[in-house]
Amino acid sequence: MLHPASPDRLAELAALLGPAGPASPDAVHRVARGLARSARGGYADGEFGRLCRTELAPVLLRLVAAETEATALRTAAARHIAAADHGEDPAPRELLAELAGKLDRG
């Protein structure tokens, strides 16, 4: 499970990044592919190259982990709601247990 950033930290990051909207999955994939090519070929030199090699890849991995967790949350909540819609009486603790299991496995 990720260690979540505080709301203040997230607001600070959003302010630093400016008004641009989030990247599409295709854009993230292109960046990751370019990063991998640059790292393999040694094309990135200097401070920017070091940042690409040491910082950008972990940032992209955090994005993947966050999206994976968000998908697990949405799926578990949808399953819980569907069970209730079908006349079952799912307890909130069941949803919490499912979420805890999914998020602990990462």
Side-chain angles (χ1 to χ4, degrees), residues 62-78:
R62 183 175 176 94
L63 172 64
V64 169
E67 292 219 15
T68 300
E69 283 190 13
T71 299
L73 288 168
R74 285 191 299 268
T75 301

Side-chain angles (χ1 to χ4, degrees), residues 9-35:
R9 185 65 161 183
L10 293 173
E12 180 184 342
L13 287 169
L16 285 171
L17 295 171
S24 70
D26 287 340
V28 174
H29 191 258
R30 285 191 302 274
V31 169
R33 231 181 17 241
L35 173 66

Side-chain angles (χ1 to χ4, degrees), residues 31-84:
V31 169
R33 231 181 17 241
L35 173 66
R37 262 195 321 270
S38 293
R40 277 194 312 271
Y43 302 125
D45 294 334
E47 181 67 12
F48 181 71
R50 187 191 66 73
L51 283 173
C52 286
R53 288 186 303 275
T54 62
E55 304 294 333
L56 186 55
V59 167
L60 291 175
L61 289 172
R62 183 175 176 94
L63 172 64
V64 169
E67 292 219 15
T68 300
E69 283 190 13
T71 299
L73 288 168
R74 285 191 299 268
T75 301
R79 202 173 5 260
H80 190 78
I81 292 166

